[in-house]
Amino acid sequence: MQTKEFKAESKRLLDMMINSIYTHKEIFLREIISNASDAIDKLYFKSLTDTSVGLNKDDFAITIALDKDNRTITVSDNGIGMTEDDLENNLGTIAQSGSLAFKKENDLGEDVDIIGQFGVGFYSTFMVAKEVTVLTKAYGSDKAYLWKSNGVDGYTIEESEKAEAGTTITLYLKDDTEDEKYSTYCDQYQVQSLVKKYSDYIRFPIKMEVEHTHYTEEGKDPEVTKEIEVLNSMTPIWKKNKNELTDEDYNNFYLEKFMDYEPPVTHIHSKNEGIATYDALLYIPARAPFDYYSKDYEKGLQLYSSGVLIMDKCADLLPDWFSFVKGVVDSEDLSLNISREMLQQDRQLKIIAKNLEKSIKNELTKMLKNDREKYEKFYDVFGLQFKFGIYQSYGAANDTLKDLIMFKSSFEGKNVTLKEYVSRMKEGQEHIYYACGETKERIEMLPQIEKIKDKGYEVLYFTQDVDEFAIKVMINYDGKTFKSISDADLDLDTEEEKEEAKKLDEENKDMFTFMQEAISDKVKTVRLSKKLKSHPVCLSSDGNITIEMEKVLNSMPQNDGNKVKAEKALEINPNHPIFEKLKTLYAQDKDTLKDYAKLLYDQALLIEGLSVENPVEFANLICGLMTK
Ligand code: ADP
């Protein structure tokens, strides 16, 4: 018989696993029990609509058998089984696992314990076994197959005999060493406790023949009886009462079910009756999965109908802005035979989804209020999603998200919510001010910011591309409009100051027009600035597209060749010595004034974090001045 090689990826993973110094080798049992339970789920689901399956719920079971003499542990199920192709595809490759991709992408060293971190299912058996056999018969097929492997040289598949559909996995345990006593895995007490620890909620009975020793009379040999016992309590955790459960119970379930290695930030366990009846157990993870910000990430909750799994990732239960939430929803209102398409229309499902969204929002609001540090940590990981949510929903998600988003600000440089900002607004302050820039440091260098700070107004720092787009969609918060410090009219001055500025603007109108003509392809207006304190110039935008938005939109790959342009104005500070110089030039040397207009524009670009359009011309102009 020909031995087949494992796929290259699988082989590398296997090597790592076998040689890993992983301390929790025991999780192999949980992995194969979960697989068995999934296989039963599939056949049980079929049996509900297809009487030819011939099994009732009570007939389904997972059976463990221990053989101390031969050092084996066997786990059998009467689930859906595998065809020859399934065996080849499922056990010959680990393409689905994602763990290796993660390791590669993040360039982690060999000693990183990815097994412990992700759980690699079936392959974990090779941490404790020197040989594994899988005898299986797919439901509906009349052929059985035996898969065999020592995890190193590859595997063989041969035809075999098996009466019923299902799978039997036998592990031939490795020899004991100084440090590792593999024989404990065929010890009944050890196995009982592992099942309790990791697989208690499995909804099908996990049966095992258990020996009991009875001491009857002194001096007499004890009596040993054997009995088949069910090792797990079988009630899914979400069906239990909250007061029966500890945080550890919740966390263990999460770690196992959702293959994370860090406990979640928090969980939400809710039971509902009324318009929609359902139990939900939701988790907010502490870290983002490696593919979270890629298009490969699939959001969704596991959906059960009266304890039967009907969908692994039901996307309709979660809005995009809460796509990081993991969990389980179990409702008796849903029909078992419901198709994906029908599910999308389902009224009950919509009500459940709305309720879940509310619970998640409430939980996060509570965390923000009661445990700021925890919230900020969470926010660092997933907060960006909220701003995208506001933007992409065209504001529909405003009410849900407006009090969950945060920005850094000029006030102590910390994260602030909009509520906090508004509560600190000065008397007479009409707007929520914000400034865009790559970093907090860069923003703090913007010329426009000085005067606002002098007024005692707080400025929000928009350092993420999505920030400004999100608030453009929000329009206002609590009736207060947002204002960019690059806006033409910042509304900072008193009536008197405004009058004076207007006068000065009028007086120099001709000069400004002259300057604008020198750079007419770049700016629409040249004018006096009312928002500068010590800096000579700045740019401001007059239209709907701000300078920051121009930057972001033009950096998007799909925007090639179709550049967006903000309507820009070059503003000159009348209190800066340069202003007097400009006036002199206008009277005496108009040619030089043209060069000054260009230079001032280029300087303003640099300050905004934009690049100079013609660096050679810029350098020549400077040199011209330097050698004058
Ligand atoms: P995962 O469970 O994460 O998909 P595994 O390596 O544990 O990864 O299993 C790979 C696949 O092998 C499973 O998805 C399933 O299709 C199949 N499989 C494993 N164990 C069984 C079983 N007892 N019965 C039927 N199919 C199984």
Side-chain angles (χ1 to χ4, degrees):
M1 194 179 3
Q2 195 202 340
T3 303
K4 296 186 182 178
E5 291 262 317
F6 286 106
K7 301 257 157 56
E9 302 275 84
S10 316
K11 212 168 145 66
R12 282 193 43 211
L13 190 71
L14 272 164
D15 284 349
M16 274 169 3
M17 187 135 26
I18 292 165
N19 302 317
S20 98
I21 38 162
Y22 186 52
T23 43
H24 290 93
K25 289 180 195 268
E26 63 190 32
I27 57 111
F28 80 89
L29 187 59
R30 149 193 114 177
E31 300 292 319
I32 49 176
I33 287 176
S34 293
N35 282 348
S37 166
D38 291 347
I40 293 179
D41 254 329
K42 288 177 194 158
L43 191 57
Y44 173 48
F45 182 58
K46 218 182 188 59
S47 75
L48 296 169
T49 52
D50 180 352
T51 48
S52 67
V53 174
L55 293 169
N56 295 317
K57 174 145 205 232
D58 297 341
D59 300 327
F60 290 104
I62 297 163
T63 307
I64 300 178
L66 307 175
D67 182 340
K68 273 203 160 116
D69 298 334
N70 291 310
R71 295 174 62 87
T72 64
I73 168 167
T74 301
V75 177
S76 312
D77 66 71
N78 51 354
I80 196 92
M82 281 179 273
T83 63
E84 190 178 7
D85 279 353
D86 290 342
L87 275 175
E88 190 81 53
N89 295 332
N90 298 336
L91 304 188
T93 167
I94 47 139
Q96 316 92 313
S97 143
S99 1
L100 213 61
F102 174 82
K103 206 173 131 94
K104 262 197 203 148
E105 246 161 60
N106 295 277
D107 199 19
L108 306 175
E110 284 304 314
D111 53 345
V112 173
D113 182 14
I114 63 163
I115 300 119
Q117 293 175 355
F118 293 92
V120 284
F122 174 76
Y123 283 76
S124 60
T125 52
F126 290 106
M127 292 194 293
V128 299
K130 55 185 177 190
E131 180 169 72
V132 178
T133 64
V134 180
L135 175 63
T136 185
K137 186 174 177 185
Y139 171 74
S141 161
D142 49 10
K143 282 193 177 148
Y145 295 91
L146 182 69
W147 182 98
K148 238 190 231 183
S149 173
N150 62 4
V152 182
D153 304 326
Y155 58 91
T156 58
I157 299 176
E158 62 190 281
E159 257 195 75
S160 189
E161 293 295 320
K162 191 175 185 304
E164 310 293 340
T167 302
T168 296
I169 297 183
T170 305
L171 314 190
Y172 295 82
L173 295 170
K174 289 184 184 181
D175 300 329
D176 288 357
T177 65
E178 280 283 293
D179 310 321
E180 290 288 350
K181 302 281 174 257
Y182 296 101
S183 46
T184 61
Y185 300 124
C186 51
D187 174 78
Q188 78 171 39
Y189 299 106
Q190 172 73 352
V191 171
Q192 275 175 313
S193 89
L194 288 180
V195 170
K196 261 287 177 244
K197 179 168 170 193
Y198 292 115
S199 312
D200 196 47
Y201 74 91
I202 293 282
R203 297 176 308 111
F204 302 99
I206 302 170
K207 295 178 178 171
M208 187 168 82
E209 189 180 70
V210 177
E211 280 184 11
H212 291 279
T213 313
H214 310 269
Y215 296 89
T216 41
E217 266 176 62
E218 233 175 285
K220 261 196 169 179
D221 276 350
E223 207 176 288
V224 176
T225 57
K226 290 181 179 177
E227 234 171 294
I228 304 277
E229 284 181 13
V230 174
L231 307 184
N232 55 329
S233 72
M234 281 193 287
T235 316
I237 182 167
W238 60 87
K239 287 274 180 209
K240 291 187 180 168
N241 283 325
K242 286 185 213 180
N243 55 18
E244 286 175 55
L245 295 162
T246 63
D247 280 348
E248 202 189 344
D249 293 330
Y250 282 116
N251 288 357
N252 278 343
F253 175 76
Y254 168 82
L255 294 174
E256 196 261 314
K257 186 98 177 169
F258 300 106
M259 307 234 264
D260 201 347
Y261 59 89
E262 244 176 74
V265 174
T266 187
H267 65 259
I268 307 165
H269 188 181
S270 58
K271 293 172 174 290
N272 292 270
E273 274 169 44
I275 321 176
T277 303
Y278 65 91
D279 298 318
L281 177 54
L282 309 183
Y283 290 94
I284 296 171
R287 48 168 215 112
F290 70 96
D291 60 352
Y292 186 63
Y293 287 104
S294 83
K295 63 177 185 348
D296 294 335
Y297 181 77
E298 254 185 278
K299 66 167 183 172
L301 299 174
Q302 273 204 334
L303 183 60
Y304 288 81
S305 161
S306 306
V308 183
L309 180 70
I310 55 173
M311 198 184 286
D312 197 35
K313 277 193 177 151
C314 182
D316 298 320
L317 283 170
L318 285 177
D320 282 342
W321 39 96
F322 291 151
S323 62
F324 51 83
V325 174
K326 302 270 182 217
V328 175
V329 174
D330 191 348
S331 170
E332 60 194 49
D333 297 341
L334 299 166
S335 151
L336 269 178
N337 307 325
I338 200 157
S339 70
R340 240 162 235 264
E341 293 70 38
M342 278 157 63
L343 204 53
Q344 272 171 358
Q345 316 289 331
D346 195 273
R347 218 173 62 88
Q348 292 298 324
L349 197 77
K350 288 209 168 95
I351 297 171
I352 297 175
K354 266 277 155 258
N355 284 351
L356 294 179
E357 183 179 354
K358 255 185 242 150
S359 329
I360 298 167
K361 179 196 161 183
N362 292 344
E363 186 66 29
L364 290 171
T365 309
K366 207 169 77 189
M367 200 199 303
L368 173 61
K369 195 165 156 243
N370 301 335
D371 193 343
R372 179 69 169 226
E373 204 179 317
K374 192 164 162 187
Y375 184 82
E376 292 201 20
K377 244 170 103 183
F378 151 80
Y379 188 82
D380 274 347
V381 183
F382 295 112
L384 196 57
Q385 200 62 21
F386 296 166
K387 292 172 181 171
F388 278 115
I390 290 174
Y391 175 58
Q392 281 162 346
S393 70
Y394 303 106
N398 255 6
D399 280 348
T400 309
L401 301 175
K402 66 179 198 265
D403 286 317
L404 294 175
I405 56 175
M406 295 199 289
F407 302 94
K408 289 264 184 302
S409 88
S410 55
F411 182 80
E412 297 179 342
K414 287 194 195 134
N415 279 322
V416 298
T417 62
L418 293 172
K419 198 180 234 150
E420 286 159 350
Y421 182 102
V422 168
S423 74
R424 284 198 286 265
M425 275 170 79
K426 289 262 170 321
E427 221 181 286
Q429 181 182 350
E430 303 247 335
H431 309 285
I432 299 173
Y433 290 102
Y434 69 87
C436 302
E438 259 158 62
T439 59
K440 170 171 169 281
E441 289 70 27
R442 262 211 109 134
I443 291 174
E444 282 173 350
M445 281 187 283
L446 285 173
Q448 303 93 316
I449 216 155
E450 260 180 320
K451 209 167 164 185
I452 300 198
K453 276 192 166 172
D454 274 3
K455 285 243 165 202
Y457 295 168
E458 183 173 358
V459 181
L460 297 178
Y461 293 168
F462 284 9
T463 50
Q464 288 169 324
D465 285 353
V466 67
D467 287 340
E468 193 173 26
F469 291 87
I471 59 97
K472 288 267 169 197
V473 166
M474 287 177 81
I475 303 169
N476 68 63
Y477 175 87
D478 224 8
K480 306 278 189 283
T481 46
F482 294 94
K483 212 163 199 26
S484 163
I485 63 159
S486 305
D487 260 14
D489 181 15
L490 269 187
D491 239 359
L492 289 179
D493 297 321
T494 60
E495 287 305 315
E496 230 166 76
E497 286 168 324
K498 278 183 194 162
E499 272 307 305
E500 203 176 316
K502 206 170 156 194
K503 222 175 99 206
L504 209 53
D505 217 5
E506 288 291 321
E507 282 170 18
N508 294 284
K509 209 171 173 56
D510 293 344
M511 177 181 81
F512 290 143
T513 310
F514 180 84
M515 287 176 74
Q516 192 272 335
E517 277 162 7
I519 46 173
S520 62
D521 53 333
K522 301 177 170 63
V523 301
K524 260 199 112 175
T525 338
V526 176
R527 62 175 171 238
L528 270 191
S529 178
K530 285 173 272 181
K531 57 192 170 209
L532 290 175
K533 193 181 163 204
S534 60
H535 293 74
V537 281
C538 70
L539 283 179
S540 72
S541 52
D542 286 353
N544 272 331
I545 298 181
T546 65
I547 294 167
E548 188 60 24
M549 288 164 93
E550 172 186 306
K551 224 187 323 181
V552 174
L553 289 171
N554 288 341
S555 69
M556 290 180 179
Q558 65 268 34
N559 228 325
D560 264 4
N562 198 0
K563 297 284 182 210
V564 180
K565 251 193 159 11
E567 242 174 60
K568 298 184 194 103
L570 178 66
E571 297 197 350
I572 318 266
N573 182 356
N575 302 316
H576 193 281
I578 192 74
F579 187 58
E580 291 308 315
K581 177 79 185 176
L582 294 175
K583 284 204 284 197
T584 316
L585 287 175
Y586 185 61
Q588 299 167 1
D589 182 0
K590 289 213 171 56
D591 275 344
T592 307
L593 181 59
K594 277 187 195 164
D595 290 346
Y596 271 52
K598 285 180 197 160
L599 272 173
L600 287 172
Y601 171 72
D602 283 344
Q603 287 183 32
L605 281 179
L606 290 172
I607 295 170
E608 284 290 333
L610 295 161
S611 52
V612 172
E613 288 151 31
N614 187 342
V616 176
E617 186 191 43
F618 178 69
N620 284 339
L621 285 171
I622 298 248
C623 274
L625 277 181
M626 290 165 91
T627 51
K628 218 170 197 168

